[in-house]
Amino acid sequence: MLKTDILAKVLHHIYFVPGLFGFARLASYDYFAHVRSALQARFRDAGQQIETHAVDVLPTASVRRRAAKLAALIDRTSGGKGPIHLVGHSTGGLDARLAASPSTTLPIPARVMRWLPRLRSVTTMNTPHYGTPLASFLVTSNGQRLLSALSAFTLGGLSLGAHPLGAAGALIGLIGRGDDALGIKLRILDKSVGLLLGLVKDARRPDVLAYINAVKEDQGSMLQISPEAMDLTVAGFRDRPGVAYQSTASMAPTPSPGKWVRTLGHPWRAASLALFTALHGITSRHDDRYPCAAARAGRRTEVMLARALGFVPDRSANDGVVPIRSQLWGTLVWAGLGDHLDVLGHYRDDRKGRLATLRHRDWLTSGSSFDSTNFGALMDAVTNGMLKSV
């Protein structure tokens, strides 16, 4: 439930920034559909109006390039009045912070930043503020193959959901016992990419092909969000005075044999869990010199994490892509069990009667048990923070 005072009715401008492998809208798939719908309902209940935009950033390009596109979009579309809020998921949170930071410059004319005095809040969802070990792996030769699989699973998962038709039976046959590095045979992943894209009805559309090519051609953010690179970035980024910074953070349970048992008879879930197991294992690695965590998270944050999770998470705890302690920035407004895409509303939901455009698609099977109750609480917390910033 929202806990807001009665505000004068104003028009809020909310900008969504997708993260790794993300997009504003691709073919018939909307990355932020569930978040947008949830915020619209909550702002309406609070007597407020909102106008939303999603920036069409390059999926794995440089954070600086992505932030420049965000700033230009805001300049073109925000009009001359009304508070502005930025919502970044994953790497998108870094894009938002960079666009807002007074200590950095972007490759755009100064006049494009004239909206900054109206900026009221920056919300980062599962953002690698201190980097992620997964990024270090993805720039290796084996990591490039996993990167292709991730982009294909994103498209396949959002398109097919939990019902990948008869062809899904072939996908589980492609997943082997794996190797020591990943838990998945990398050459099998290569075949999975082709099969998945063959299942997606829109895979030959020009925008879909452009997305896949963009992942292959520009992976600047992979280098920039490595733990070593973010160690320097943290020293250079400054938060903008007068702007509320809030974050959400989640972790997924460590994959276990029990989770594999629950995928029996569900080829898509089994294949998805195999991929998630690989991602989780890589992301759980950490170096004491570059721990992907703040030196001190603060007592309030530690208490909130312990209450939400039932224990204090260590540095290996992660959502399958980002360590949970790397996700902490500003005021932590929500924490819980969930994987990297659950928090966007991409979780399993077997309820009937939902519109196809708002159907929940669980493309990474993590066993987090994230559901509509969790998503509702997360969206309440995010909305409260935005409204209080005005």
Side-chain angles (χ1 to χ4, degrees):
M1 176 176 288
L2 297 177
K3 301 176 182 178
T4 58
D5 297 325
I6 297 176
L7 302 171
K9 192 168 187 177
V10 297
L11 177 62
H12 298 254
H13 304 270
I14 301 179
Y15 290 84
F16 300 119
V17 196
L20 290 177
F21 327 113
F23 45 84
R25 187 174 182 83
L26 189 64
S28 57
Y29 324 126
D30 189 336
Y31 190 84
F32 282 107
H34 302 291
V35 175
R36 178 184 291 107
S37 176
L39 291 182
Q40 286 173 337
R42 284 158 175 77
F43 270 79
R44 183 173 59 249
D45 290 346
Q48 302 296 296
Q49 294 179 311
I50 67 171
E51 181 178 276
T52 65
H53 298 271
V55 59
D56 190 16
V57 295
L58 297 171
T60 52
S62 157
V63 173
R64 191 163 178 255
R65 290 184 64 194
R66 290 162 52 102
K69 290 198 70 172
L70 168 62
L73 175 67
I74 298 173
D75 181 59
R76 291 196 309 271
T77 61
S78 63
K81 60 181 180 179
I84 293 172
H85 308 273
L86 309 183
V87 180
H89 173 252
S90 190
T91 310
L94 298 178
D95 302 342
R97 282 183 52 211
L98 182 60
S101 177
S103 60
T104 54
T105 58
L106 298 176
I108 49 179
R111 59 178 173 74
V112 177
M113 307 302 293
R114 55 194 167 192
W115 50 269
L116 277 171
R118 296 162 51 204
L119 180 62
R120 294 293 176 267
S121 73
V122 174
T123 301
T124 61
M125 304 176 67
N126 295 51
T127 293
H129 296 288
Y130 300 91
T132 172
L134 181 62
S136 299
F137 177 80
L138 290 177
V139 297
T140 67
S141 57
N142 282 341
Q144 297 295 297
R145 299 158 81 178
L146 186 59
L147 190 61
S148 295
L150 277 169
S151 59
F153 264 73
T154 301
L155 289 173
L158 292 178
S159 173
L160 304 170
H163 305 286
L165 308 179
L171 183 58
I172 189 58
L174 296 178
I175 301 298
R177 292 183 177 179
D179 60 20
D180 294 336
L182 289 177
I184 300 177
K185 289 182 178 177
L186 289 168
R187 65 178 181 274
I188 292 173
L189 273 181
D190 297 337
K191 297 179 181 178
S192 300
V193 170
L195 176 60
L196 273 169
L197 293 179
L199 292 174
V200 179
K201 65 180 180 180
D202 292 322
R204 310 319 296 178
R205 283 176 54 119
D207 54 345
V208 175
L209 292 174
Y211 166 82
I212 295 169
N213 288 332
V215 171
K216 293 178 181 178
E217 294 172 2
D218 189 345
Q219 297 163 17
S221 60
M222 294 295 98
L223 292 169
Q224 293 170 346
I225 63 173
S226 67
E228 296 85 352
M230 287 304 297
D231 185 60
L232 180 61
T233 300
V234 168
F237 268 34
R238 281 202 299 123
D239 289 348
R240 179 166 293 275
V243 174
Y245 287 78
Q246 61 179 8
S247 60
T248 70
S250 73
M251 60 167 285
T254 301
S256 65
K259 293 185 177 65
W260 290 100
V261 171
R262 289 192 287 274
T263 65
L264 292 177
H266 301 280
W268 172 265
R269 292 181 206 165
S272 181
L273 179 57
L275 181 57
F276 180 81
T277 299
L279 296 173
H280 190 279
I282 295 167
T283 308
S284 68
R285 304 169 184 170
H286 63 274
D287 185 324
D288 289 339
R289 296 168 298 177
Y290 305 101
C292 296
R296 291 177 296 277
R299 186 177 184 279
R300 177 191 173 280
T301 296
E302 294 293 352
V303 169
M304 188 172 178
L305 287 172
R307 286 177 177 172
L309 302 171
F311 58 91
V312 177
D314 61 21
R315 291 176 179 175
S316 66
N318 67 84
D319 64 1
V321 176
V322 181
I324 189 171
R325 290 196 168 275
S326 187
Q327 301 168 28
L328 309 176
W329 194 267
T331 301
L332 179 65
V333 295
W334 181 90
L337 290 178
D339 63 47
H340 196 63
L341 270 293
D342 283 341
V343 298
L344 287 178
H346 300 309
Y347 54 85
R348 183 182 172 192
D349 186 356
D350 294 329
R351 293 177 299 172
K352 305 296 183 183
R354 295 186 64 80
L355 294 174
T357 54
L358 285 178
R359 191 168 297 146
H360 295 280
R361 307 290 200 183
D362 187 20
W363 78 272
L364 269 187
T365 300
S366 64
S368 69
S369 298
F370 190 92
D371 59 19
S372 295
T373 299
N374 302 124
F375 185 63
L378 186 158
M379 288 292 99
D380 283 348
V382 168
T383 304
N384 278 326
M386 288 182 177
L387 291 174
K388 289 177 181 177
S389 73
V390 178

